[in-house]
Amino acid sequence: MPEVMLRNGQSVPPKDWGEIRLCWDRNARSWFLHISYAAPAEVLPGPAEGRPTVTVAIDEGIINPMTLAAKMPDDSNSMKVLVLNGRQGRSAKRYRNKVVARLTSRMSRCKNGSRKHRRLMAAKKKVEAKTERRLHDFDHQVSAKAEKFTREVHETWTEHHREKSGTDTVVGVRLVAGDVRGIEKNTNKKRRASRSTRQQLSQWSRGRQENYLQYKTGLKLEHINEAHSSQTCPKCSTRTKVRGREYVCKHKSCGFRCHRDAVGGVNIQTLADNDGTFVPDPDLQVEVTYRRSQAGWSPLQRSLHAYHQDVLGRAGTGAYREERRSAQNRATHAGTTVSGVAVDRAVISDDTTTRPGAGRASAHAA
Ligand SMILES: [Zn+2]
């Protein structure tokens, strides 16, 4: 009997299960058991008539999949922003694209249906399936961090309103995102984007992240027009074309500097609260936090880390002790530290070369 766990670690008894389906994943070439169940997750209250409401704005992007912004209650000029970095997702996609391109070009040089062709096809499916699993996890990492931010904002505002007007006040949350739906369409015909940008846009899993966030918070996500939200200065409403990752207002007496995506998030928040108009706030304070949407560690990574912490970090002294815990340091201090790593690396490369289609990966590891 399989065990079904909720996200908080509680197990779901079989009597609460719904439909069960046994599915064949063509790319992974294995069976999956899909079990549906009702999760009694804590649903956040949405906006309603006569209920104080807080707006959580989301700016979506390729480099940073989600940037969330919300006002803070202490004084109305402070804005809390969370920037979620998407490096893990981008690197998974880039790796997949490169491997698939290489395999496809090799496949084009051999006969359709030949043994070589079949082998290359299997390798391609394997990397597709692995990337799909990594991206699935990545989207969950992003939406879980966005959910946490939304819940924290809700909690802060609930406390604030309860102090003012009674302990049974319910605060609603309005989730708003800039409307970027359909941005990936017609990019080639009109030459709006370069080749690589077009590929990034078409592989953007924005919709799935939105769906995960909606189901985790129980809220309905609204889309609003986000025109000029990345260019307009939130302090003085001057429009500046952004170059690079930092926004610098071109107005002489303003000179507002901030993270580019944080500006987008703050502006979408203002647009949502003011029915689609920009309202400049000269005393605005933006507090930006950066988070990686880090995927979980593999058992090998975990054991290597523990090894370096225990054996080389705390127990080792003098010449055996590493200066700082970084891969770069371990590489340069070959004499003292490489032994443990070298053994593990040898294990990795032995393991991967026996499998077809993983030759390149093992070359990298070695
Ligand atoms: Zn400005």
Side-chain angles (χ1 to χ4, degrees), residues 232-240 247-257:
T232 311
C233 173
K235 281 199 174 184
C236 67
S237 282
T238 314
R239 272 190 210 159
T240 314
Y247 178 92
V248 182
C249 179
K250 70 175 180 192
H251 194 278
K252 278 188 200 108
S253 59
C254 174
F256 173 70
R257 294 174 92 93

Side-chain angles (χ1 to χ4, degrees), residues 55-57 68-82 149 234 258 262-263 265-271 273 279 281 283-289:
T55 308
V56 175
L68 295 102
K71 273 191 176 163
M72 284 292 105
D74 21 321
D75 58 284
S76 60
N77 296 325
S78 87
M79 192 85 85
K80 205 172 161 183
V81 176
L82 172 69
F149 178 85
C258 195
V263 171
V266 168
N267 277 328
I268 290 171
Q269 210 279 344
T270 327
L271 287 174
D273 273 0
V279 179
D281 180 357
D283 302 320
L284 181 79
Q285 297 286 322
V286 186
E287 185 199 315
V288 187
T289 318

Side-chain angles (χ1 to χ4, degrees), residues 326-360:
S326 77
Q328 208 174 12
N329 256 321
R330 284 198 278 279
T332 48
H333 292 73
T336 54
T337 59
V338 114
S339 56
V341 183
V343 171
D344 282 310
R345 274 190 188 157
V347 172
I348 306 171
S349 47
D350 279 354
D351 200 3
T352 39
T353 40
T354 51
R355 288 188 232 133
R360 180 73 170 271

